[in-house]
Amino acid sequence: MSAMTAAIPVGRLAPSPTGYLHLGHARSFLLAWWDVRSRGGRIVLRIEDLDRERVKPGLVDQLLRDLEWLGLDWDGPVWIQSADTSAFDDALARLTARGLAYPCVCTRKEIEAAQTAPHASDPSSRYPGTCRGRFASLDEAERISGRPAAMRLVVEPGAVELDDAFVGRFRCDVQHDAGDFPVSRRAGEPAYQLAVVVDDARAGVTDVVRGDDLLPSAARQLLVQRALGLASPTWRHVPLVVDEHGRRFAKRSDDLSLARLAAAGVDPRSIVRWVAERSGFDVRERCAPGDLVRSFDWTRVPRTPVVCGAAELVGLTGAG
């Protein structure tokens, strides 16, 4: 790989087909797209469909239509996360061989019960480490317990620090807050934190833009990256889009989904303009994402949540 190729930023859009995309997704995806395109970079589109129990039939095609309707494009074929899990298996094997991950047969109810037991020093939802050092292997754990086993990453005590290019320095004590967290689920499928890290690495992702509710996930992913000897991308965690009561938009509600807005005849350029106005752009009229690439500037992006109340909705769904 040449120095010129290595210097090209690579971003990603990573929707999950477990619910409809809404205005909050539109903002984070547009910011991610503008960030990379403004620097002449590439965009990877990855469909994160590993949580098969929650994946909704037909939603992958809807996600693609939503992104295209919004005016976003990407480079190369669509990356379907579940299409090739061999890299996840390899990463998990490496963690296990080095003693950095161990099998866990605890059920959710058992973990919750452990938190409420008398003398429990930490009543939060963290994993108390019940199975750490209990079994020599995954096979032994499943044979002795008679249960399928998950795998958890060994998390040492102490704060994890990461430098977010938008938020700044972020500190999180993962052991205190969550304990040893899963890197594979009981069905043998890779857990979210492992899958994201592995797929970002093999796609060469250098820049990640997403909501600031995922900052704690970034701390966990940093631990996975360190355990696997992988570089961390440049993270930018941005404030969420919220309603007038300060509540984040719910993916489970399609009241403000892009699909519903499109079906109602809303001009997607109105959505782009609305996002742009709340992301530091000086815009006077409806526009496509590509119209604003050259004027994108992170220093102008507000550091407070974006409110979308009744007045904003009238502007978006009306004549605009």
Side-chain angles (χ1 to χ4, degrees):
M1 180 179 292
S2 67
M4 181 178 295
T5 301
I8 296 176
V10 179
R12 45 94 154 166
L13 310 177
S16 175
T18 57
Y20 291 96
L21 300 183
H22 53 60
L23 289 175
H25 295 110
R27 180 171 186 260
S28 60
F29 287 159
L30 281 164
L31 287 173
W33 193 89
W34 282 324
D35 170 49
V36 172
R37 291 300 195 214
S38 68
R39 294 181 287 136
R42 298 177 57 252
I43 295 287
V44 174
L45 175 57
R46 182 173 72 228
I47 303 297
E48 298 191 337
D49 63 338
L50 292 178
D51 193 351
R52 298 180 185 181
E53 293 181 357
R54 297 177 57 219
V55 168
K56 297 182 179 180
L59 205 54
V60 171
D61 290 339
Q62 183 63 57
L63 297 180
L64 299 181
R65 288 194 296 269
D66 289 345
L67 294 173
E68 291 171 344
W69 175 78
L70 195 59
L72 298 179
D73 64 357
W74 51 88
D75 301 289
V78 178
W79 187 308
I80 304 297
Q81 199 169 45
S82 64
D84 179 9
T85 61
S86 59
F88 308 138
D89 296 337
D90 178 66
L92 193 60
R94 288 161 56 196
L95 293 174
T96 304
R98 296 176 57 197
L100 299 177
Y102 63 87
C104 171
V105 296
C106 296
T107 66
R108 183 172 299 177
K109 287 185 178 180
E110 288 170 340
I111 295 172
E112 292 173 353
Q115 305 308 320
T116 57
H119 312 299
S121 60
D122 184 3
S124 69
S125 59
R126 67 180 293 275
Y127 179 67
T130 307
C131 286
R132 191 197 277 206
R134 183 179 174 188
F135 305 107
S137 67
L138 183 67
D139 290 341
E140 180 185 283
E142 295 184 336
R143 176 174 51 81
I144 292 176
S145 68
R147 302 173 179 178
M151 295 294 291
R152 291 181 179 272
L153 187 76
V154 174
V155 179
E156 300 299 337
V160 176
E161 293 190 0
L162 63 90
D163 289 314
D164 185 282
F166 187 79
V167 175
R169 181 65 59 87
F170 176 74
R171 290 170 55 91
C172 177
D173 191 331
V174 178
Q175 177 55 240
H176 178 271
D177 295 344
D180 300 337
F181 58 86
V183 285
S184 78
R185 297 197 287 268
R186 289 163 63 87
E189 297 174 343
Y192 169 75
Q193 308 295 4
L194 178 72
V196 167
V197 164
V198 171
D199 273 349
D200 280 351
R202 60 176 171 167
V205 171
T206 62
D207 294 80
V208 172
V209 178
R210 57 190 182 185
D212 60 10
D213 58 321
L214 291 175
L215 263 170
S217 282
R220 300 180 199 187
Q221 289 160 22
L222 177 59
L223 291 178
V224 176
Q225 287 157 355
R226 289 174 177 173
L228 292 171
L230 300 174
S232 299
T234 296
W235 280 301
R236 290 181 175 87
H237 289 83
V238 297
L240 302 178
V241 176
V242 299
D243 65 17
E244 59 265 44
H245 304 292
R247 297 173 302 200
R248 57 177 291 182
F249 280 21
K251 192 175 185 181
R252 293 176 295 276
S253 172
D254 67 348
D255 290 346
L256 292 174
S257 69
L258 301 187
R260 177 164 292 191
L261 293 173
V266 173
D267 188 334
R269 296 174 302 166
S270 296
I271 306 298
V272 176
R273 175 186 176 182
W274 181 83
V275 172
E277 287 175 337
R278 286 150 185 81
S279 301
F281 288 97
D282 181 14
V283 289
R284 299 285 191 275
E285 56 190 27
R286 299 170 181 175
C287 51
D291 297 334
L292 304 176
V293 167
R294 293 188 177 182
S295 55
F296 181 69
D297 184 353
W298 274 113
T299 64
R300 298 178 182 175
V301 178
R303 298 178 180 273
T304 55
V306 175
V307 178
C308 183
E312 287 83 359
L313 293 178
V314 170
L316 283 173
T317 59

